[in-house]
Amino acid sequence: EKRIQEMPLNGRNFMQLAELSVGVTPLQNGMTSPVTSYTGRTDNALAVAGSREDDTSYLLDGIETRNAWWGSVGVRPSIEAIEEFKIERNTFSSEYGFGAAIVNTTVKSGVNLVHGSLFEFLRNNHMDARNFFDYGTALHAPKPPFQQNQFGGSFGGAAIKDKLFFFVNYEGFRQRLSQTGQAHFPTLAQLAGNFAGLKTLNDPSTGAPFPGNIIPASRFSKVAMNYRAFFPTPNCTVCGGNNYAGITKKPSNYDQTIQRVYYNIRAKDVLFFR
C-alpha cells in the first residue's frame, strides 16, 4: 500500500502500476486498437505477454470490470483507495478463466484504528517546456496556460471492533489543458472583397471577371456580412501554409467516491458492500 501511494504516477492512474511489471506493454499514441478507437484513450487497457489488450481481465474485489466489447478497464479506483495490486499471468486457478492475464485489485476495508488522509497533486505550465508549435506572431510566444489538480482524501475505521469496518474515499480531478492550434482564415482585405493576386473571380450574373478581382460591397450577402465578425484576424507569418495560431482549451473534470462496508461474520465468512 505504501509503495502504491508513493509511486510517481502521472495522473495517478492505477493502470500505470501494471506497466512496471515485466512483459506489460501500454498502448501508445498512434496505435489503432478497439480500445483507442472507441474510447479515444491509450491509458484504459494493457497488453500482457504479447496478448491483445482485450485478453486482459480486470478484477476489482474479485469482480470482473472489463468491458466485454473492446476490453478496456471498467472501473479505475483512486490510488488512495487501493489496498493491494497484483498481476497474474500464464498459470492461475481456473476460477479466473476470463483472460490470458489478470490485473487484480482490492479496495481498502478499514481497520480497528481510525486512519485518514488528505492529498493533492498538481501540475502546471511552470513545470512544462514550450511545445515546438507554441508560437503565434513570434517564435518566443509564452507557453499556453495549463493547470492540473488532483485532490481528495480517505477515512476508515471500525464501527464494531474486529467485526464491522468502513472505508470512504473521494478524489477530484480538474484539468485545463491549453494547446496551440493553427488554421487558415480570410485576410481583412479578402473579407472586404479584395482578392487581387488570387484566382480570378467571375460575376455569377454576367460571367465576366470582377474588375481588379474585387467584389463590390453592394454585392455582399447580408448573411455573409453577419458571419464576418466570427473570423479571427490572421496573426501568424511563420505558420507554414496557415496564417493563424491560437490557443484552444480542453477542460476535463471528474469526481469519484468509493465507500466500502466490511463485516467479519466468522473466520472464513465475510460480507462486504462497496
Side-chain angles (χ1 to χ4, degrees):
E1 177 189 343
K2 188 173 187 293
R3 286 185 178 183
I4 290 174
Q5 293 181 3
E6 293 181 351
M7 197 70 66
L9 306 176
N10 185 12
R12 306 294 289 170
N13 181 357
F14 89 101
M15 295 280 283
Q16 294 169 315
L17 294 171
E19 297 173 16
L20 301 174
S21 183
V22 176
V24 177
T25 305
L27 302 185
Q28 301 294 333
N29 290 326
M31 289 181 63
T32 301
S33 72
V35 174
T36 57
S37 297
Y38 285 104
T39 69
R41 300 178 65 109
T42 60
D43 58 355
N44 279 343
L46 299 164
V48 180
S51 62
R52 293 180 62 88
E53 68 274 14
D54 53 2
D55 288 329
T56 303
S57 174
Y58 301 96
L59 301 182
L60 182 63
D61 292 332
I63 300 170
E64 178 68 70
T65 71
R66 176 179 52 178
N67 184 290
W69 186 250
W70 52 76
S72 60
V73 62
V75 179
R76 296 191 303 175
S78 168
I79 293 291
E80 201 74 13
I82 294 177
E83 178 76 26
E84 293 181 271
F85 181 90
K86 184 179 181 181
I87 293 183
E88 300 171 83
R89 69 186 90 189
N90 301 330
T91 56
F92 39 77
S93 173
S94 58
E95 65 185 286
Y96 301 118
F98 293 102
I102 297 169
V103 177
N104 209 338
T105 311
T106 58
V107 172
K108 295 178 183 177
S109 298
V111 293
N112 284 325
L113 296 177
V114 174
H115 288 276
S117 66
L118 292 173
F119 66 90
E120 179 171 11
F121 297 88
L122 65 91
R123 180 182 169 191
N124 56 41
N125 51 283
H126 297 294
M127 304 177 187
D128 291 344
R130 185 177 68 87
N131 188 287
F132 177 80
F133 297 101
D134 287 338
Y135 55 78
T137 56
L139 288 175
H140 300 287
K143 293 178 294 186
F146 173 52
Q147 297 291 331
Q148 178 176 296
N149 295 81
Q150 205 161 359
F151 52 89
S154 64
F155 181 74
I160 303 175
K161 185 178 180 180
D162 296 327
K163 297 291 289 185
L164 183 61
F165 304 93
F166 65 90
F167 176 78
V168 179
N169 166 258
Y170 164 77
E171 178 173 301
F173 181 83
R174 304 290 183 271
Q175 184 187 80
R176 298 297 179 267
L177 176 62
S178 302
Q179 292 181 320
T180 299
Q182 299 180 14
H184 191 92
F185 290 104
T187 64
L188 294 178
Q190 291 168 352
L191 290 176
N194 188 344
F195 291 87
L198 299 178
K199 181 180 179 179
T200 301
L201 301 180
N202 295 322
D203 188 335
S205 61
T206 64
F210 284 110
N213 220 27
I214 299 175
I215 302 174
S218 60
R219 303 293 300 277
F220 287 0
S221 161
K222 291 184 178 180
V223 175
M225 293 289 288
N226 292 332
Y227 270 105
R228 284 200 310 178
F230 296 99
F231 283 106
T233 302
N235 62 1
C236 185
T237 58
V238 290
C239 292
N242 297 311
N243 62 3
Y244 178 82
I247 294 176
T248 58
K249 295 182 178 180
K250 298 181 179 180
S252 177
N253 303 321
Y254 75 72
D255 296 276
Q256 178 193 99
T257 180
I258 294 177
Q259 303 91 30
R260 176 163 165 156
V261 177
Y262 183 93
Y263 182 61
N264 190 9
I265 302 174
R266 56 182 68 89
K268 293 186 179 181
D269 296 298
V270 298
L271 178 69
F272 76 87
F273 170 81
R274 172 172 43 75

